Amino acid sequence: VAPDRVPERLRGRASSLFAVAGPVGALIGVNLAARLPPALGYFALFGALGLTTLAFLAFAREAPFAKPPRSAGGRLRFAAIASFRSRDFALAWVFRVLMFSAQFAINNYLLYILRDYVGEAAVPGHDARAAAGLIGGLRTVATLVAIAAAHGLAQRTSRRRVFAQGYAALMAFAMLAPVVWPNWYGMLTYATLGGIAMGAYAVIDLTLMSRVLPNPSTAGRDLALLVMAGATAQFVAPTLASVLIGASGYASLFLASAAITVAAGWVVGRLKGVD
């Protein structure tokens, strides 16, 4: 929807607005999971998603697009992967897979990190579920503050890679904090710095992705492929995390995630068509 309906001059502002939605949604979801019985929490999320989806379909109407002519021989069957011939597009996709794999590897195991690595006796109230909600809340506040601060800066410059590379450096540092301080304060440091890093990147996420789209006529499809990199990471992260935790413990999970994040920063630095 964004590349089709948001003018390029407004995509920085749209990126910042979309960026706010993510951490606010995560905060609501984490706290519902922490404070409601599991069945009721899932039902509440299901109901909210269903209602908002219906509202989007009803009130955000758009004109139909003309269908592109089909070429002889059914060549469109592989059209969805044609965009990966673009070097910048492929690199942006890899960047997002690495970025989200590192994040999800930690976030998906946050409850178990607090229970088994930090220790339930060391978290506030001796309740790991409530502590996970606190970590999520702190991260959200840090993200929102960073979005507010970084939005103005992003509006004053056309450079986008530096934001992504800054994200990678700060997020990797955040992931090392629980290794240096394997306690509740290390997790608070991780949440704060990680939230700042995510907020600083989120304000340029949409514009960065828009600049690597190789074909304006397939911009919506190609942006969807970049977004789906996050879904790919959802498959990679649990497997990676379970192997690392089983073999070497939670410290290795933080170290590997930091290394993957640094690799993501290196990949985004290889973009040629983005300042």
Side-chain angles (χ1 to χ4, degrees):
V1 173
D4 289 336
R5 301 180 64 181
V6 178
E8 189 168 355
R9 61 185 177 82
L10 296 177
R11 286 181 187 171
R13 185 180 303 172
S15 186
S16 296
L17 291 172
F18 291 153
V20 170
V24 170
L27 178 63
I28 294 171
V30 167
N31 280 279
L32 279 174
R35 302 179 190 283
L36 293 177
L40 183 57
Y42 279 118
F43 183 78
L45 293 173
F46 163 76
L49 178 60
L51 289 173
T52 52
T53 301
L54 289 173
F56 175 77
L57 293 173
F59 299 110
R61 295 182 177 274
E62 60 184 347
F65 288 89
K67 292 182 178 180
R70 287 189 172 273
S71 57
R75 294 176 185 174
L76 288 180
R77 95 179 55 164
F78 297 109
I81 63 173
S83 296
F84 287 96
R85 296 173 185 170
S86 166
R87 180 179 182 275
D88 277 0
F89 182 85
L91 286 173
W93 192 87
V94 172
F95 163 69
R96 291 177 66 80
V97 170
L98 293 173
M99 175 177 71
F100 287 116
S101 292
Q103 284 194 43
F104 293 150
I106 295 174
N107 293 344
N108 289 354
Y109 283 81
L110 179 60
L111 177 61
Y112 305 106
I113 289 169
L114 293 171
R115 280 180 179 173
D116 303 332
Y117 183 64
V118 175
E120 201 153 18
V123 302
H126 309 308
D127 185 347
R129 292 179 68 194
L134 290 174
I135 291 291
L138 177 60
R139 183 184 171 99
T140 299
V141 170
T143 299
L144 295 176
V145 170
I147 289 171
H151 174 72
L153 182 60
Q155 294 293 95
R156 293 179 175 86
T157 178
S158 62
R159 301 181 68 185
R160 293 295 177 259
R161 282 188 304 178
V162 67
F163 284 85
Q165 291 175 310
Y167 155 84
L170 186 56
M171 182 62 81
F173 186 76
M175 290 171 172
L176 293 176
V179 179
V180 178
W181 303 293
N183 52 38
W184 175 242
Y185 299 104
M187 293 302 298
L188 292 178
T189 303
Y190 159 73
T192 303
L193 295 181
I196 294 171
M198 197 62 221
Y201 169 75
V203 298
I204 58 93
D205 182 46
L206 179 59
T207 52
L208 176 68
M209 289 192 292
S210 296
R211 290 183 184 182
V212 301
L213 300 178
N215 187 349
S217 65
T218 59
R221 181 200 69 194
D222 293 338
L223 185 61
L225 289 173
L226 290 176
V227 172
M228 285 300 292
T232 302
Q234 289 277 23
F235 289 97
V236 173
T239 303
L240 173 68
S242 62
V243 169
L244 288 170
I245 294 169
S248 307
Y250 288 98
S252 66
L253 174 62
F254 285 106
L255 290 171
S257 296
I260 293 170
T261 302
V262 171
W266 180 85
V267 168
V268 80
R270 307 294 293 175
L271 295 175
K272 291 183 176 180
V274 179
D275 295 334

XYZ file of all heavy atoms in Angstrom, residues 95 163-173 197 258 261-262 264-266:
141
model
N 19.853 -7.787 4.264
C 19.985 -6.924 5.442
C 18.821 -7.117 6.399
O 19.003 -7.281 7.610
C 20.076 -5.462 5.005
C 19.813 -4.464 6.104
C 20.706 -4.303 7.153
C 18.655 -3.695 6.099
C 20.455 -3.395 8.175
C 18.396 -2.785 7.102
C 19.306 -2.629 8.156
N 21.918 5.834 8.948
C 20.951 5.489 9.987
C 20.932 3.972 10.208
O 20.887 3.503 11.345
C 19.555 5.978 9.600
C 19.343 7.453 9.776
C 19.712 8.349 8.790
C 18.765 7.954 10.933
C 19.520 9.705 8.939
C 18.565 9.318 11.112
C 18.946 10.206 10.098
N 20.948 3.226 9.089
C 20.923 1.763 9.191
C 22.211 1.243 9.827
O 22.187 0.316 10.654
C 20.721 1.146 7.817
N 23.341 1.817 9.456
C 24.610 1.386 10.041
C 24.708 1.793 11.512
O 25.254 1.044 12.327
C 25.776 1.955 9.239
C 25.901 1.343 7.852
C 26.975 2.001 7.020
O 27.026 3.216 6.891
N 27.853 1.191 6.438
N 24.188 2.975 11.842
C 24.148 3.386 13.244
C 23.285 2.454 14.070
O 23.625 2.109 15.209
N 22.142 2.034 13.474
C 21.303 1.041 14.134
C 22.097 -0.220 14.441
O 22.048 -0.741 15.562
C 20.103 0.688 13.252
C 19.545 -0.683 13.556
C 18.648 -0.866 14.596
C 19.961 -1.809 12.830
C 18.174 -2.127 14.909
C 19.487 -3.069 13.132
C 18.593 -3.223 14.176
O 18.137 -4.464 14.496
N 22.812 -0.723 13.440
C 23.536 -1.983 13.607
C 24.579 -1.870 14.716
O 24.723 -2.778 15.548
C 24.194 -2.393 12.291
N 25.313 -0.766 14.746
C 26.355 -0.586 15.767
C 25.750 -0.514 17.165
O 26.221 -1.186 18.102
C 27.167 0.672 15.465
N 24.702 0.291 17.318
C 24.107 0.461 18.649
C 23.371 -0.791 19.096
O 23.447 -1.183 20.274
C 23.157 1.661 18.640
C 22.558 2.053 19.991
C 23.653 2.334 21.021
C 21.641 3.271 19.846
N 22.674 -1.469 18.174
C 21.956 -2.691 18.546
C 22.930 -3.802 18.933
O 22.680 -4.554 19.889
C 21.054 -3.150 17.403
C 20.239 -4.392 17.721
S 19.082 -4.165 19.110
C 17.717 -3.347 18.272
N 24.046 -3.908 18.214
C 25.042 -4.915 18.579
C 25.594 -4.636 19.973
O 25.780 -5.559 20.779
C 26.169 -4.927 17.552
N 25.857 -3.368 20.268
C 26.333 -2.998 21.602
C 25.289 -3.345 22.658
O 25.623 -3.849 23.747
C 26.659 -1.508 21.637
C 27.301 -1.059 22.920
C 28.635 -1.332 23.193
C 26.566 -0.360 23.862
C 29.221 -0.923 24.378
C 27.145 0.064 25.050
C 28.477 -0.226 25.310
N 18.077 2.206 19.243
C 18.578 1.787 17.934
C 17.431 1.541 16.965
O 17.460 1.990 15.804
C 19.422 0.522 18.080
N 24.612 -10.347 18.225
C 25.405 -9.135 18.010
C 26.237 -9.256 16.734
O 26.333 -8.309 15.943
C 26.304 -8.871 19.213
N 24.043 -8.866 13.713
C 23.664 -7.471 13.546
C 24.794 -6.669 12.913
O 24.561 -5.807 12.055
C 23.261 -6.868 14.902
O 22.173 -7.625 15.449
C 22.830 -5.423 14.754
N 26.023 -6.924 13.327
C 27.176 -6.267 12.698
C 27.242 -6.640 11.214
O 27.507 -5.792 10.349
C 28.479 -6.648 13.421
C 29.699 -6.159 12.645
C 28.491 -6.056 14.830
N 24.736 -7.391 9.348
C 23.670 -6.636 8.692
C 24.123 -5.218 8.372
O 23.831 -4.683 7.290
C 22.423 -6.611 9.577
N 24.842 -4.595 9.301
C 25.370 -3.265 9.044
C 26.352 -3.243 7.885
O 26.376 -2.300 7.091
N 27.178 -4.306 7.772
C 28.123 -4.392 6.660
C 27.380 -4.537 5.339
O 27.727 -3.907 4.340
C 29.067 -5.569 6.870
C 30.063 -5.725 5.758
C 31.266 -5.092 5.620
C 29.941 -6.600 4.617
N 31.888 -5.474 4.450
C 31.106 -6.417 3.819
C 28.974 -7.490 4.187
C 31.312 -7.103 2.617
C 29.160 -8.177 2.998
C 30.325 -7.979 2.223
